[in-house]
Amino acid sequence: MSGYYQGLLILVCINIIAVLGVSILTGFTRLFSFGNAGFMSIGAYTAAILSSNFHVPFLLSILAGAVLAAFIAFLLGKLTLNLQGDYFLIATLGFGESVRVLFNYIVPVTGGAQGFSGISVIPGNQLLTVAIITIVCIAIAWNIISSKFGRNIMAIREDEMAARAVGINTATYKNFAFTTSGFFAGIAGGLWAHYFTFISPLMFNLDKSAEMTIVVVIGGLGSLTGSIIASILVTVLPEILRAASEYRMLAYGIAVVLIINLWPSGLMGYKEFSFSWFRTLWVSTKTLVRKIGAK
Amino acid sequence: MKKLFFVVLVVSMLAISLVGCAPTATEVPTTAPVVATTAVPAAGATDVAPTTAATVDLSKTEPIKIGYIGDLSGSTAVWGQAGLNGALLTADEINANGGILGRKVEIVSADGRGQAADSVNALNKLIDQDQVIAVIGTNFSSCNIAMAPIADAKHIPLLATAASNPKVTVDKDGNLLPYSFRIGFIDPFQGQVLANFAYNELKFTTAAIITNVADDYSVGLSTYFEKQFTDDGGKVVIKVQAQSGDNDYRAQLDKIAALNPQVLMIPWTYKDVALIAKQAREAGITAVLIGGDGWDSTDLLTMAGSALEGGFYTSQASYANDVTKPFAAAYTARFNITPETEALFTHDGLYWIKDALTRAGAVDSVKLRDALENTTSFTGLMGTMSIDPLTHNPTKPAVINTIKDGKFVYYGSFK
Amino acid sequence: MFLQQLINGISVGGIYAMISIGYALIYSLLGFSNWAHGDVAMIGAYIGFLFFATAKLPFPIALIIAIVGAGLLSLLNERIAYRRIRKNNSPTMFLMIAAMGVSIILQNFITVTVGPKFLTYPDVVPVSTFKIGTLHIGVLDALSLVVVLLSIILLIYLLNKTRFGLAIKACASNIAVASVLGINVDAYVMLVFFLAGSYAGLAGVLLGLKYTVYPQLGNVSLKAFIASVFGGLGSVPGAIIGGLFIGIMEGMITAFVSPGLRDIFTFSFLIIILLIRPSGLFGKNVSQKA
């Protein structure tokens, strides 16, 4: 396969992983975060520093980056999750920006604005490695959603007061969702670093955070499948529509406003991919054919 | 059910990655050959005698595809677009004079948006889908550093235009990146030239620097300026930091004003240079203002008014230099806008590739690379340069321009 | 030096305040932070530029057109992007997402049509500086401070001494009850958006004059938002004080601590406020949304 398509697919996978986290957070707990690029950045720099300066094996450095990002998400969550939606959003935004500013500042560690280069490449067949990691992440996310955790989180989303009344410790579950989003973002960041072999704080800015949230909105708040599909679309469409790249952001803005007004459940709503679809499709096709045959 | 789902998912992803996708047809060329309005290429740009159009019908030959990556749609599209226009104009000029090795040149562009991720995608597309034999671009070091490994792996020479971070051609361990080249000089050189100029030519002994800490270009230039200025014997009385987007630099400038340095170094891009200059004058700073090639835009003077009068800046090349005038006129006639320096880069980049291919004798990317590396003397509209084979950095003089009566005026060439 | 930095800070803070006022007004009515507000200011700057620099109308006229235009834009935003969500009783987070979408639309609309080039206003007043002892303030800055002061006084009068202001306060207090009492809530919401937008438009023109005009000009609204949180979301006096305070604080940190880390200080400050006193200086008691 040509390097161009390989590269595109790797990028798609990395973006999917990052969006998985935001999907769990926003789609299932209704908390909007504009700082997840900060977690990506933490994951990226940690993995890069570990693998370049300390020769830690690839998988281990990615994991370490993700764990650190998750830990910081946990701390941040403790501080801010009892705030109202607006405040939480701004706090996460501030966090994301602060990470960027900080990494620009601590030049001896991160290289500052000049970036961190010479990161080792993803070992083995790059696409295969990334694809496997992506599948594992999707599996984890899926399990979270379909488990008791997932149901509790959705209960909080629907009616927090009621959830609390039933005895669900809302604070714990919200922070769990937030920490998870940090973990996934950290993995995505580590993969990003080893794919591009060069990172700079600017790569993980507010636009990136906003983009992740936009993807979740378009895909449907509350659907993992929707987020994955939307993520693929958002990564691939600009390449297909290279001619119209000027209008890309404009189209996203319009899409967001339209979707949140008319179909807040986005592409998939609360539905997930399921095999019963095929059965439904088969049945309706049969019915249709029979109707046409009868005419 | 869940297990089956995952099996299907795994199998499909593996299938995608192993089987691969069918190659698509090469992209329809974006330019049509047009007879250029200038008949003669820049003096001394090539030593191949131009063949007349009558003896070789280029439209029947297979085109040599050269890629261009720049920011075509983002906030710095002014430069990216100019680079592309310059490339198109130059390609037509080359084609009107017999092309390269008897084949016509075709420019294929891709939008890098000034971001590393998009530039990497663009490079992959140009090489794999469009089969270019070389790529010109970008003017952002961060993009080129990210693209370098791909150029090396796929053996396609990558010619950065204004990207001035040393790491574009030499990695952080000191190893040469064999397929990365650049047409412009590097930050350390610019910083040194400015420092020497301020100390030796303008005879200043005290300086202040204001740095954009969010920009690697600004940080690099500041560091090398300070080092050289201090080595020469001058004193940097104060260094202040700020970030692009702040728009308001009075807090920092007031600190500088209090120390009254003779020269103030402003290594930023022109929008902020204009703001800083105006606010500096407001703060009562009377120092001479100097800066690097980030000043180089026709908009700078419109925005800064008289605040920059008497200032100096280094430039890769100058439209104030007479040798560029025919090119500038042709550019304005065709595109209805005054050209930016980036167009000169792509112009010289194309002619350099032509020169190298001719020396190589064959349209082959590996031989092209070798010929580029062994350039001992190439003359373009930006001056004469030679390449250091160990670093791929060009040795060429820096032009210093001054601002007099609200216009850019060529001051001199410095090494 | 300290006094000079204080003057710098007030100068910037005044403009923050103009935008924070808009945040406060809209929050007090609808309970959400209008993310697109800063971009309304940006459009105001462009409108002013269009009529002053391109069409070469006298400055006061261009200014008025900009103010009215921005107000209308803000009103349109409400009508097109927010109203339906409000009527559907969807979570207020949806309003914020819609606002984010509007913000992207506005910024990119300008980028695609006018272009990303930076535009400079021609000089309205001769470029010179008032000097008092060792302190200096630009003539333009001094004038815009006066304008800011006058507009704030006008707003306070409007809100406290007119029936219009009373109706707005009623709506702010409890929209459902206000509507039962016969107040045409929709009309007042539109009016408030218009008012907020016009102040943003004024701020936009001032920002354009002071610096340059470019599509990301609205990014300053983040600081204005922090200012309104500090002052108390929904409180206009709080927004004004918050704006001034943030402007001064940032100036001080830039001058005396570290410009590189300035934003971290501002955001940490925000988090500290949210932890210690989320209702800000004058805000209503903020109860956890159920």
Side-chain angles (χ1 to χ4, degrees), chain C residues 176-187:
Chain C
V177 171
S179 130
V180 163
L181 287 178
I183 297 181
N184 184 346
V185 167
D186 279 350

Side-chain angles (χ1 to χ4, degrees), chain B residues 11-315:
Chain B
V11 168
S12 38
M13 290 203 85
L14 280 176
I16 296 173
S17 57
L18 293 177
V19 172
C21 315
T24 59
T26 50
E27 199 188 74
V28 174
T30 48
T31 66
V34 162
V35 177
T37 48
T38 52
V40 182
T46 166
D47 48 19
V48 173
T51 50
T52 56
T55 54
V56 174
D57 185 0
L58 286 180
S59 59
K60 293 234 171 56
T61 61
E62 197 187 310
I64 299 177
K65 294 198 193 159
I66 300 182
Y68 174 74
I69 301 180
D71 181 6
L72 300 177
S73 64
S75 54
T76 51
V78 161
W79 283 328
Q81 204 58 54
L84 178 58
N85 290 345
L88 293 172
L89 185 60
T90 311
D92 291 343
E93 190 179 284
I94 292 179
N95 288 336
N97 287 291
I100 302 180
L101 294 176
R103 291 162 62 176
K104 83 170 188 254
V105 173
E106 194 182 293
I107 305 291
V108 187
S109 68
D111 189 2
R113 301 190 85 237
Q115 313 277 346
D118 294 88
S119 300
V120 161
N121 282 344
L123 183 63
N124 275 325
K125 173 184 162 296
L126 287 175
I127 298 180
D128 294 324
Q129 309 289 93
D130 302 306
Q131 271 108 49
V132 298
I133 62 147
V135 174
I136 303 180
T138 66
N139 57 335
F140 290 110
S141 302
S142 53
C143 297
N144 280 64
I145 295 177
M147 293 193 288
I150 299 173
D152 286 343
K154 299 192 175 169
H155 302 305
I156 299 288
L158 177 62
L159 281 70
T161 53
S164 48
N165 189 328
K167 292 215 193 78
V168 165
T169 51
V170 175
D171 77 16
K172 70 174 187 200
D173 298 318
N175 304 318
L176 176 67
L177 300 163
Y179 279 83
S180 287
F181 295 87
R182 69 172 102 222
I183 309 171
F185 47 58
I186 54 179
D187 291 337
F189 176 68
Q190 261 198 92
Q192 281 166 20
V193 164
L194 280 168
N196 288 332
F197 180 76
Y199 191 80
N200 298 323
E201 181 89 5
L202 298 176
K203 308 271 190 257
F204 290 144
T205 50
T206 57
I209 312 176
I210 175 167
T211 309
N212 179 358
V213 286
D215 179 13
D216 62 62
Y217 162 79
S218 187
V219 169
L221 226 48
S222 306
T223 315
Y224 292 107
F225 174 85
E226 182 184 2
K227 185 164 176 311
Q228 186 68 41
F229 195 71
T230 322
D231 284 349
D232 283 346
K235 184 161 157 24
V236 173
V237 297
I238 181 172
K239 299 184 290 191
V240 293
Q241 301 178 330
Q243 296 183 67
S244 179
D246 286 353
N247 291 340
D248 200 305
Y249 306 100
R250 286 167 238 256
Q252 294 94 324
L253 289 169
D254 281 331
K255 284 161 81 164
I256 295 179
L259 294 174
N260 207 11
Q262 292 168 305
V263 63
L264 172 58
M265 165 79 162
I266 311 179
W268 295 58
T269 11
Y270 64 94
K271 164 199 167 219
D272 294 305
V273 173
L275 288 174
I276 294 175
K278 286 205 282 204
Q279 292 170 15
R281 295 303 183 213
E282 231 181 65
I285 296 178
T286 50
V288 167
L289 306 176
I290 64 175
D293 63 343
W295 285 35
D296 199 15
S297 167
T298 45
D299 282 339
L300 176 66
L301 297 174
T302 339
M303 295 169 68
S306 57
L308 282 171
E309 190 71 20
F312 297 89
Y313 71 99
T314 42
S315 164

Side-chain angles (χ1 to χ4, degrees), chain B residues 360-379:
Chain B
V363 179
D364 172 88
S365 66
V366 178
K367 295 200 178 129
L368 171 61
R369 185 216 83 88
D370 294 336
L372 287 170
E373 186 173 86
N374 292 308
T375 306
T376 47
S377 170
F378 166 73
T379 306

